[in-house]
Amino acid sequence: MKQGIDYLLNADVIFEKIIQEYGMPTQPKKPQGFETLVLLILEQQVSIDSAKATFLRLKKAIPEFHPENLILFPDEDFRACGVSRQKTKYIKALAEAILSKELDLKSLAYKDAEIVRQELIRIKGIGNWTIDIYLMFCLNSMDIIPLGDIAVVNTMRELLDIHTKEEMQIYAQKWKPYRSVATYFLWHYYLQKRGRKIAY
């Protein structure tokens, strides 16, 4: 991460500005595997705190948190834990893909980011935002810019006065090969400016 920070400080003045205002960002980390992907599905389009509360209810209801047990868990019990019908389908689709060996989660750690994306995108309910976060938090990918993330988009608009995702994609080329580290700076700014605690 230090190498990435040094590179970015030379590449773009906005990172020095963020450090001066709010200090250094941290690198978020989560364990690889099924549980984290379930949590990321729950985090889609809701607050992190809300998703975490739902995830903890689900874990309490299913202590042996393995794909075969989630497949058998009734849909109405998912709803009792606060999981929507749609996200229940997504979680079960993920579990089925693992059980059928369509997806080998352990192997992802040894594959190129684009191959990981191709394998995960086939699973219903796993889109680019979920894949981006998994690559960054779990697989330590250093060159991801998640433009499906509202905090990233809003911060780039605010700091750089650019307003379309196409412009953002082009602008972020100057941050290669450390766009993930740039993202950690953007999240850090977004949360600190709003007085919000970092909860990855």
Side-chain angles (χ1 to χ4, degrees):
M1 173 109 159
K2 184 183 182 303
Q3 191 175 353
I5 290 171
D6 291 344
Y7 179 90
L8 292 171
L9 289 174
N10 286 320
D12 198 322
V13 294
I14 69 158
F15 300 112
E16 182 63 46
K17 178 184 173 185
I18 291 171
I19 289 173
Q20 285 173 358
E21 283 194 64
Y22 298 116
M24 297 288 262
T26 56
Q27 181 177 4
K29 294 192 176 179
K30 289 186 186 292
Q32 298 174 32
F34 177 66
E35 284 195 22
T36 294
L37 274 171
V38 171
L39 176 58
L40 291 177
I41 288 170
L42 294 173
E43 285 181 1
Q44 293 168 6
Q45 300 177 317
V46 301
S47 75
I48 288 173
D49 288 342
S50 168
K52 190 171 184 182
T54 302
F55 180 71
L56 291 174
R57 284 194 295 271
L58 204 52
K59 286 257 306 184
K60 188 174 180 182
I62 314 171
E64 295 293 317
F65 205 81
H66 306 304
E68 54 270 29
N69 292 335
L70 271 78
I71 287 276
L72 297 173
F73 197 62
D75 287 7
E76 57 269 27
D77 291 345
F78 270 100
R79 285 195 287 283
C81 291
V83 184
S84 69
R85 281 185 174 82
Q86 189 176 46
K87 288 186 179 179
T88 297
K89 286 180 185 172
Y90 295 167
I91 290 166
K92 290 196 171 188
L94 171 63
E96 284 166 8
I98 292 167
L99 291 171
S100 69
K101 300 199 169 15
E102 177 190 346
L103 178 65
D104 178 1
L105 285 180
K106 286 183 181 174
S107 74
L108 299 182
Y110 308 102
K111 293 177 178 173
D112 178 78
E114 207 41 55
I115 300 297
V116 172
R117 189 178 303 279
Q118 288 169 20
E119 292 194 16
L120 287 175
I121 203 81
R122 295 198 300 254
I123 313 300
K124 185 176 177 62
I126 295 184
N128 282 311
W129 177 85
T130 303
I131 297 165
D132 287 341
I133 303 304
Y134 193 80
L135 282 165
M136 293 165 72
F137 288 21
C138 305
L139 301 180
N140 200 34
S141 294
M142 284 285 116
D143 196 33
I144 305 293
I145 181 79
L147 292 178
D149 188 277
I150 191 139
V152 171
V153 168
N154 285 346
T155 303
M156 289 184 76
R157 282 178 182 151
E158 183 179 335
L159 288 177
L160 302 167
D161 195 30
I162 52 180
H163 296 275
T164 70
K165 289 189 181 179
E166 184 181 14
E167 289 173 308
M168 291 174 190
Q169 193 78 55
I170 292 165
Y171 187 92
Q173 292 297 309
K174 67 158 72 176
W175 301 337
K176 285 178 70 68
Y178 294 107
R179 288 179 295 178
S180 298
V181 182
T183 299
Y184 304 147
F185 269 103
L186 299 177
W187 278 332
H188 182 62
Y189 176 91
Y190 181 88
L191 292 167
Q192 293 289 329
K193 185 169 185 189
R194 288 155 181 80
R196 284 166 55 183
K197 186 180 172 189
I198 295 171
Y200 294 127

